């Protein structure tokens, strides 16, 4: 084999001989013909209204600076014109903030909103409506299902996207061709994965996303930064695939950041943007001559794309350079304006004209018909459901546990008055609480799943009705039918209800309908609000209305007149009524209904026994005696109405792109303003990092933890990383680059299902460092910038980080000076006072975020800096600036080790040491950067003179999976390179002698910032970030206030007749629902807060105690404030005894129960990474606590009574009931004295107006419900619960951060011995 020819193929210029090259290297994708579509853009402009809105506008209005109608617009695109003919591949190029993505959004009609104003026109074959054209859009963000494999993802996409005439065999062939074309063969059967369960690499996910859109067989294909996260070889292959698609008549438009030089020649057209204005728009072949005419010739051996991006960038390194570059860019804008009329029509003029297909030959523009959509979506949803064992386990565990424990609580209910009251509590549990748990879990799950629907619906791939129907069809056999059946079968017979088949099946049918109501209501909530905080708030308030309107806690005739009508809109009213009818008067011919165990003689004929009859119970509840058929029909109606309502909202409520109002400019103002001072290498202790036979295997266990599978991630590596230079790790996707950095930084920790097995040693200056030394000397910059606080400015992030990370012996002034010094060093001065921003609030640019992340890590002046893809997602100019910063940091004597995907050609000479890894983690080269090309040349692989050496190396070690013959050739080549290195260079990296002794390394150990220093800083930082985040404020306050308002409206004013006894008890019982409120508040806030903490704790910045106390301290003031407002509404407005004592007791109860709910949330969100599973478990635990509180069940088994002592609900009821009922005298109301609605006479208290045994005083009520206890002691016990719960939550978090200590390690070692 001629190796020179093979290497030459990998770098064959696309311009010179493209047709023959493509024929050899890519597959003939068997898509049907597409309609040719020319895209023409004329004077496109986009403006966004950035004036304050809502509450933020009030200060400006108040000060008179602006009127409400005044608008301030920011111009994003300025009169851009372009022509993209069919059969062309057009690139949109520019730096950060140039408007590339906005232009792509505008072209694809994926941008809109009331604050957006667009000008100009976009035509598709002369028509402004893109809906008439088959199109697809590949977003920057990958939206994929983590439990599906790559092949399954593409097969389902083909079923949904390919036009109806295609057969299953044709679709399968197309999918296999796409897998080969995109180089996905080796990961085709790998699950996509997510941040919890690892699967495909970032590059593989990116290519899968492209494959999904390719399967739509579009006429126009839009791609936003499609090569981001890909190595240079994969990016080259991908663009060649796009070129092939374009050559068959499609119009392909792509934004791209750092295209390698070989990619340049594949483009047909180019749009070059700067600050939203076009500097060039036309044919690629005319581009360089055009700039040459303007006296900007392309230098020799320079990537044209990098040259143009640099030309369009504003250089801010000095006022002089900024002025000069601004003048240059402005001159280029004006020059293009003068010539644009003649230039925009030149793209593709030399290409053959593709005639549009005739009407008869045009393919169907629709996607799969409704029947196929439902079938495919059902199969896909079914598969992801059973592949989520934690999610399924959560649902089934919830059903079993709720059924068994509630059945135990209500075990074998007798016919006494207490038993009758407990039966009502049991029926309420079945009708309301079980459905509430399903509602909360389904709401959380939908907030995750809805993202894929939003994308597919926007693409026209699926319809709303298909999505709604398939979601329930897929789960009918795994959740919808089994969960209510399991609950009904266990709970019904344990509680001792009548063992009649017909009565049981009615019970089950009602529970089945209530289950469907819960899941459809969850869909309605998520259709209104896509985030869990908003959706759970809507769901919780809706459920509160349901529970209060059902007639259990507050009798229907006791509800205020202005709220009484709501019971007819409460599905629990119908469900509870139907279950009560089924139990008390159904399936019997006796007019009195079922007769229970009356101790008085004479049976039903004795008036004293009336309250022991089912008919009496139904009248006291306010239900008619024949209340089964109508409620069942009504419940079915709720299912239909909720689902139709969700469908209408999903159909018409558009999920658009958020509009930024955080700042007025998108330009990366920090570029080039680095203030780096190289210090002598002898000024401080330098560290040489050596790896000797360093390898990594990962062992994954199945859910049973019995079977395991081991996979090699990194083969033995021998290399040296030196201080003062850039040490670069390169390799294709799946080569283990990130895993190596994480292993070196001690960031890989064993879990129950995953064990990491590393071999070999890592040496610091010839000595093995302890884990504490590694964490102290190494700073790790992850690929994501998600550890930054979005509502703080750059300066605030750095100052707080300095206070938390720098030694405590430094003064505040010294730390602040250090932060300002690093801020200048990283070139962040001009954006120092801008918010960092997040998905909701646009802040600094991507390049600036990267700099802030790096700046935080170098605050402590680490000797070793590890960086994972520091240039990923950045344009060429910004990436060059970042690399300039890193070179400066290395010159200061640090050891910098970084992974990189696509390196600019002018950076290669700055690579000090290179570690080259092939897919699978096998080393191919490790040594000086200057030795890499001679090494490959000695093996017969010569790098062409005009080729980027980094691209050459990646091409050389990448297996081409697009064609069987090429795969065999390249795989053999890569295997020979690996074998040669393994056989001949194992001792290539001899350890460099060092005079450093171990005590020097030990002296480098850095302790976390002391608690006394960290706590006030964390508190100030969190308070500042929290108060600037409206969603967080709403999550902390809206649940309690909304709940208080609703129960006050339903219960106020509380009366003092016998009817009101149960109403008063129900009022107190409703207080205990605050337990759920605390949990929901925690789920909305804690996971995000803990994510930042985990990252900073890995950096040994501060202790777990400091974070935990900060979270608690910030939480408590909001709980106190909302508790006081809660007490104000419930005591003053509702009509409890209006005494200062009861006011503060009520406020304390609210505070304590919400706080305990927050503590439970911390416990389970810490224990389980699967938030959905945690939500299910928490909801079950909290529901059981409410049931055992003392009102809903009067006879709890002794064992559960013991457990009940751990519940704050018991102590809350135990102190509130005596304080609110003692001294109250209830007036007697005769049976005939009041008429209830719905056919009942409303006899009060479920004990009857003036009948025998009806309590007349609060003390009698307390004795009846076993609540006549010492309220002071109960209040003290509630306070103890608050403290103990929070301490347990802290202990769990502490143990997790300590990796569960010695016990977990011992268990893990024992498990490994078993496996061996």
């Amino acid at each position: 084999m001629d190796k020179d020819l093979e290497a030459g193929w990998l770098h064959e210029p696309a311009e010179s001989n493209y047709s023959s090259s493509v024929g050899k290297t890519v597959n003939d994708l068997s898509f049907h013909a597409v309609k040719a579509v020319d895209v023409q853009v004329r004077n496109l402009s986009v403006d966004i209204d950035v004036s304050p809105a809502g509450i933020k506008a009030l200060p400006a209005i108040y000060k008179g600076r602006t009127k409400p109608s005044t608008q301030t617009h920011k111009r994003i695109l300025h009169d851009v014109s372009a022509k993209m003919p069919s059969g062309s591949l057009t690139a949109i190029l520019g730096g950060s903030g140039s408007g590339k993505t906005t232009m792509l959004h505008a072209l694809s009609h994926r941008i809109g909103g009331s604050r957006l104003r667009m000008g100009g026109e976009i035509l598709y074959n002369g028509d402004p409506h893109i809906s008439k054209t088959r199109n697809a859009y590949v977003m920057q963000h990958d939206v994929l299902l983590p439990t599906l494999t790559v092949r399954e993802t593409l097969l389902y996409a083909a079923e949904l996207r390919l036009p109806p005439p295609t057969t299953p065999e044709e679709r399968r062939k197309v999918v296999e061709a796409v897998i080969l074309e995109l180089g996905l063969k080796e990961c085709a059967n790998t699950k996509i994965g997510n941040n919890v369960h690892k699967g495909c690499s970032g590059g593989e996910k990116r290519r899968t996303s492209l494959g999904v859109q390719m399967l739509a067989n579009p006429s126009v294909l839009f791609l936003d930064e499609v090569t981001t996260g890909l190595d240079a070889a994969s990016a080259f292959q991908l663009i060649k695939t796009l070129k092939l698609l374009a050559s068959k008549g499609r119009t392909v438009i792509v934004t791209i950041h750092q295209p390698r030089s070989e990619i340049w020649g594949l483009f047909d057209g180019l749009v070059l943007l700067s600050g939203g204005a076009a500097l060039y728009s036309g044919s690629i072949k005319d581009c360089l001559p055009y700039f040459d005419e303007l006296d900007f010739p392309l230098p020799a051996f320079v990537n044209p794309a990098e040259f143009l991006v640099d030309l369009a960038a504003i250089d801010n390194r000095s006022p002089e350079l900024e002025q000069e570059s601004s003048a240059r860019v402005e001159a280029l804008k004006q020059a293009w304006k003068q010539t644009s009329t003649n230039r925009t029509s030149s793209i593709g003029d030399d290409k053959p004209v593709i005639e549009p297909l005739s009407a008869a030959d045009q393919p169907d523009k629709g996607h799969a018909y409704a029947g196929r959509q439902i079938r495919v979506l059902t199969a896909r949803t079914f598969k992801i459901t059973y592949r989520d064992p934690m999610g399924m386990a959560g649902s089934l565990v919830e059903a079993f546990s709720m059924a068994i424990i509630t059945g135990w609580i209500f075990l074998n209910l007798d016919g006494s008055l207490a038993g009758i009251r407990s039966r009502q509590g049991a029926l309420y549990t079945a009708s309301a609480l079980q459905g509430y748990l399903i509602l909360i879990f389904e709401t959380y799950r939908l907030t995750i799943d809805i993202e894929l629907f939003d994308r597919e619906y926007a693409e026209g791939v699926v319809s709303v009705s298909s999505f709604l129907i398939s979601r329930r069809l897929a789960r009918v056999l795994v959740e919808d039918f089994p969960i209510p059946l399991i609950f009904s079968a266990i709970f019904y017979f344990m509680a001792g209800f009548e063992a009649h088949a017909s009565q049981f099946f009615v019970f089950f049918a009602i529970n089945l309908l209530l289950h469907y109501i819960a899941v459809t209501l969850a869909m309605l909530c998520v259709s209104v609000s896509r985030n869990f905080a908003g959706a759970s708030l809507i769901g919780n308030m809706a459920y509160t209305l349901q529970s209060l309107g059902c007639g259990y806690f507050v009798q229907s005739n006791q509800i205020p007149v202005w709220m009484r009508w709501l019971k007819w809109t409460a599905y629990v009213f119908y469900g509870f009524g139907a279950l009560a009818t089924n139990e008390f008067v159904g399936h019997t011919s006796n007019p009195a209904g079922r007769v229970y165990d009356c101790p008085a003689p004479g049976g039903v004929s004795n008036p004293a026994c009336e309250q022991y009859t089912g008919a009496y119970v139904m009248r006291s509840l306010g239900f008619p005696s024949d209340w089964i058929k109508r409620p069942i029909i009504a419940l079915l109606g709720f299912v239909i109405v909720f689902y139709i309502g969700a469908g209408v909202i999903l159909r018409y409520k558009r999920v658009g792109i958020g509009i930024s109002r955080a700042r007025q400019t998108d330009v990366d103002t920090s570029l080039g303003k680095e203030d780096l001072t190289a210090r002598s290498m002898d000024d401080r202790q330098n560290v040489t990092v050596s790896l000797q036979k360093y390898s990594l295997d990962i062992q994954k266990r199945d859910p049973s933890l019995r079977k395991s599978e081991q996979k090699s991630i990194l083969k033995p590596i021998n290399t040296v990383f030196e201080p003062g230079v850039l040490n670069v790790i390169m390799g294709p996707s799946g080569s283990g680059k990130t895993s190596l950095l994480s292993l070196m930084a001690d960031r890989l920790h064993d879990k129950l299902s995953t064990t990491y097995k590393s071999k070999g040693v890592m040496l610091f200056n010839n000595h093995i460092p302890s884990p504490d030394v590694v964490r102290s000397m190494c700073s790790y910059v992850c690929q994501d910038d998600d550890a930054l606080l979005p509502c703080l400015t750059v300066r605030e992030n750095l100052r707080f980080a300095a206070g938390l990370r720098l030694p405590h012996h430094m003064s505040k002034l010294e730390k602040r000076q250090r932060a300002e010094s690093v801020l200048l060093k990283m070139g962040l001065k001009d954006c120092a006072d801008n918010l960092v921003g997040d998905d909701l609030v646009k802040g600094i640019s991507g390049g600036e975020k990267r700099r802030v992340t790096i700046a935080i890590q170098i605050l402590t002046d680490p000797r070793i800096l590890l960086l994972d893809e520091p240039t990923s997602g950045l344009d060429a100019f910004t990436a060059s600036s970042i690399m300039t910063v890193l070179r400066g940091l290395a010159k200061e004597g640090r050891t910098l080790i970084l992974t990189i995907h696509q390196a600019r050609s002018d950076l290669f000479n700055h690579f000090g040491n290179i570690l080259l890894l092939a897919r699978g983690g096998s080393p191919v080269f490790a040594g000086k950067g200057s030795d890499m090309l001679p090494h490959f040349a000695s093996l017969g692989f010569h790098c062409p003179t005009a080729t980027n050496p980094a691209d050459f190396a990646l091409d050389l070690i990448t297996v081409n999976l697009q064609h069987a013959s090429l795969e065999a050739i390249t795989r053999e080549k890569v295997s020979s390179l690996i074998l040669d290195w393994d056989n001949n260079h194992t001792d290539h990296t001899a350890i460099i002698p060092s005079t450093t002794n171990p005590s020097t390394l030990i002296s480098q150990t850095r302790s976390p910032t002391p608690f006394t220093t960290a706590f006030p800083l964390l508190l100030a930082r969190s308070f500042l970030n929290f108060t600037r985040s409206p969603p967080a404020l709403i999550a902390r306050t809206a649940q309690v206030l909304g709940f208080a308002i609703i129960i006050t409206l339903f219960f106020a004013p509380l009366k003092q007749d016998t009817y009101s006894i149960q109403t008063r008890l129900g009022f107190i019982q409703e207080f205990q629902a605050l337990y759920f409120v605390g949990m929901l508040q925690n789920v909305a806030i804690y996971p995000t807060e803990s994510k930042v903490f985990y990252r900073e704790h890995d950096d040994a910045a501060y202790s777990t105690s400091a974070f935990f106390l900060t979270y608690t301290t910030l939480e408590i003031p909001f709980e106190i404030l909302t508790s006081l407002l809660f007490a104000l509404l419930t005591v003053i407005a509702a009509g409890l005894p209006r005494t200062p004592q009861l006011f503060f007791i009520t406020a304390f109860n609210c505070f304590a129960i919400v706080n305990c709910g927050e503590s439970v949330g911390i416990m389970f969100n810490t224990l389980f990474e699967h938030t959905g599973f945690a939500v299910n478990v928490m909801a079950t635990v909290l529901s059981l606590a409410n049931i055992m509180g003392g009102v809903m069940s009067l006879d709890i088994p002794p064992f559960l009574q013991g457990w009940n002592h751990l519940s704050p609900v018991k102590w809350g009821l135990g102190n509130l009931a005596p304080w609110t009922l003692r001294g109250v005298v209830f007036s007697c109301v005769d049976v005939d004295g009041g008429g209830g609605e719905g056919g009942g006479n409303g006899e009060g208290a479920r004990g009857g107006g003036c009948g025998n045994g009806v309590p007349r005083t609060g003390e009698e009520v307390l004795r009846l419900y076993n609540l006549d206890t010492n309220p002071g002691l109960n209040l003290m016990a509630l306070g103890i619960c608050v403290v103990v719960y929070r301490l347990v939550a802290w202990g769990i978090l502490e143990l997790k951060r300590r990796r569960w200590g010695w016990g977990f390690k011992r268990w893990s070692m024992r498990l490994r011995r078993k496996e061996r």
Side-chain angles (χ1 to χ4, degrees), residues 669-974:
T669 54
S670 70
L671 291 178
K673 295 194 175 182
E674 304 82 9
D675 180 19
L676 302 173
T677 305
R679 64 181 73 185
S680 170
M681 296 286 285
D682 299 326
D683 284 352
R684 57 192 307 116
Q685 179 63 51
N686 301 312
V687 180
T688 298
V689 180
S690 309
L691 304 182
Q692 291 186 341
K693 298 182 178 180
Y694 209 49
S695 64
L696 174 67
D697 294 339
I698 184 172
Q699 188 170 29
K700 297 284 291 183
R701 301 182 186 89
D702 65 4
S704 68
L705 301 180
R706 295 180 179 179
K707 297 180 180 179
S708 62
E709 177 184 1
Q710 186 161 317
K711 181 180 179 181
S712 176
I713 304 298
L714 293 168
K715 302 299 190 296
I717 296 171
N718 296 281
T719 191
V720 173
F721 301 119
E722 298 175 320
V725 296
L726 293 179
N727 300 279
V728 178
I729 303 173
M730 295 195 303
S733 298
S735 60
K737 303 184 296 296
T738 299
S739 297
L740 176 58
L741 283 187
S742 299
L743 181 62
M744 294 173 65
D746 193 29
R747 299 296 173 90
L748 298 178
H749 305 291
D750 291 347
K751 301 176 184 178
L752 288 175
S753 60
T754 307
T755 302
Y756 297 97
K757 299 180 178 181
S758 62
K759 298 179 182 178
V761 293
M762 177 174 66
L763 304 177
F764 289 0
N765 291 343
N766 281 354
H767 297 286
I768 299 176
S770 68
D772 288 339
V773 171
V774 171
R775 285 192 291 270
S776 297
M777 298 186 68
C778 297
S779 285
Y780 186 26
V781 179
C782 299
Q783 193 171 145
D784 300 320
D785 301 312
D786 54 3
L788 303 175
L789 292 168
C791 295
L792 298 185
T793 65
V794 171
R795 178 175 276 114
E796 288 166 345
N797 267 286
L798 279 173
R799 285 184 176 178
F800 281 117
L804 292 169
R805 294 168 183 262
L806 292 176
H808 64 276
H809 60 75
M810 294 178 67
S811 67
K812 290 183 180 179
L813 180 60
E814 289 174 328
K815 291 180 179 180
R816 178 166 292 197
Q817 289 173 343
R818 173 65 178 165
E820 291 297 322
S821 172
V822 171
L823 186 141
L824 292 174
K825 178 178 294 187
M826 297 302 297
L828 295 166
K829 180 180 178 181
D830 289 343
C831 66
D833 297 316
N834 290 338
L835 294 180
V836 169
D838 58 7
D839 294 338
L840 299 176
V841 180
K842 176 68 168 65
I844 58 178
S845 70
E848 289 165 339
K849 282 186 180 180
R850 285 272 76 188
R851 290 164 180 263
V852 177
T853 303
I854 296 171
I856 288 174
Q857 294 298 332
I858 68 171
L859 277 170
T860 56
D861 201 15
R863 293 296 82 223
I864 303 169
L865 187 60
L866 309 174
L867 305 103
D868 190 16
E869 301 293 346
T871 63
S872 182
L874 305 181
D875 62 87
F877 184 71
T878 306
S880 176
S881 180
I882 290 285
M883 294 302 293
T884 301
V885 172
L886 297 181
R887 284 165 49 202
L889 294 175
K891 289 179 180 177
E892 291 184 339
R894 296 179 179 84
T895 305
L896 262 71
I897 307 171
L898 62 144
T899 65
I900 195 165
H901 266 152
Q902 301 177 41
R904 286 178 57 133
S905 54
D906 55 354
L907 291 177
F908 181 79
N909 292 332
H910 299 290
F911 293 173
N913 293 290
I914 294 177
L915 172 61
L916 200 58
L917 297 175
R919 183 179 175 85
S922 299
V924 180
F925 174 81
K928 299 286 185 183
S930 57
D931 295 337
M932 187 185 74
L933 294 183
H935 166 72
F936 289 127
S938 68
L939 299 176
F941 300 98
H942 298 277
C943 178
T945 306
T947 298
N948 182 343
D951 294 343
F952 164 78
L954 286 173
D955 288 344
L956 197 61
I957 64 171
T958 300
V959 176
N960 190 307
L961 302 173
Q962 294 178 313
H963 195 278
S965 60
L966 288 175
E967 179 184 351
I969 295 171
T970 54
R971 194 178 294 279
E972 181 183 351
K973 174 195 63 181
V974 174

Side-chain angles (χ1 to χ4, degrees), residues 280 286-298 332 335 339 343:
Y280 177 82
D286 296 331
C287 177
L288 295 178
Y290 168 75
F291 284 104
D292 196 10
E293 293 175 2
L294 298 177
D295 293 329
F296 294 104
L298 174 69
L332 291 173
T339 58
R343 291 284 183 177

Side-chain angles (χ1 to χ4, degrees), residues 38-41 81-85 88 90 281-282 344-347 349:
D38 291 337
V39 180
Q40 190 162 3
V41 183
S81 298
K83 182 180 178 184
M84 296 99 166
S88 67
T90 302
S281 178
T344 55
S345 61
S346 62
I347 304 176
D349 285 349

Side-chain angles (χ1 to χ4, degrees), residues 1096-1253:
E1096 293 181 329
H1097 191 259
D1098 283 338
D1099 293 335
Y1102 49 86
S1103 65
T1104 303
S1105 301
F1107 162 75
F1108 192 83
L1109 191 59
T1110 298
Y1111 183 87
T1112 301
T1113 305
L1114 193 61
E1115 162 201 345
I1116 286 176
F1118 289 94
E1119 290 176 349
I1120 293 175
L1121 175 62
T1122 54
S1123 297
L1124 292 172
L1125 294 173
F1126 179 88
L1128 188 68
L1129 287 168
T1130 55
V1131 175
I1132 306 301
L1136 289 174
R1138 297 180 176 92
T1139 64
Q1141 181 189 41
L1142 187 57
F1143 175 84
F1144 288 108
I1145 286 172
T1146 303
F1148 178 76
N1149 273 268
C1150 175
F1151 164 80
I1153 296 169
V1154 171
N1155 189 275
C1156 287
E1158 282 265 9
S1159 297
V1160 171
I1162 295 173
M1163 294 177 203
F1164 286 95
N1165 277 313
T1166 302
L1167 283 170
F1168 303 111
E1169 292 180 342
H1170 193 294
T1171 308
F1173 182 82
V1175 167
N1176 242 333
V1177 176
M1178 286 189 289
T1180 303
V1181 171
L1182 270 56
S1183 293
L1184 296 174
N1186 273 273
I1187 294 169
M1188 295 190 294
V1191 171
M1192 298 172 66
S1193 176
L1194 304 185
D1195 188 16
I1196 302 174
F1199 177 79
L1200 291 179
Q1201 286 182 7
W1203 278 104
N1204 199 28
H1205 283 74
L1206 302 175
S1207 168
V1209 173
K1210 171 182 172 59
W1211 307 114
L1213 274 170
N1215 78 82
L1216 278 171
W1219 262 311
T1220 58
L1221 288 173
R1222 280 179 181 169
V1224 178
V1225 178
F1226 298 102
S1227 60
C1228 176
V1229 179
D1230 290 333
V1231 172
D1232 296 332
E1237 287 188 22
N1241 66 4
E1243 292 187 82
R1246 285 164 220 167
C1250 295
N1252 294 331

Side-chain angles (χ1 to χ4, degrees), residues 565-581:
W565 61 272
L566 282 173
K567 74 176 183 179
W568 302 109
T569 67
Y571 64 82
V572 179
F573 170 75
Y574 297 95
F576 178 56
L579 289 176
T581 303

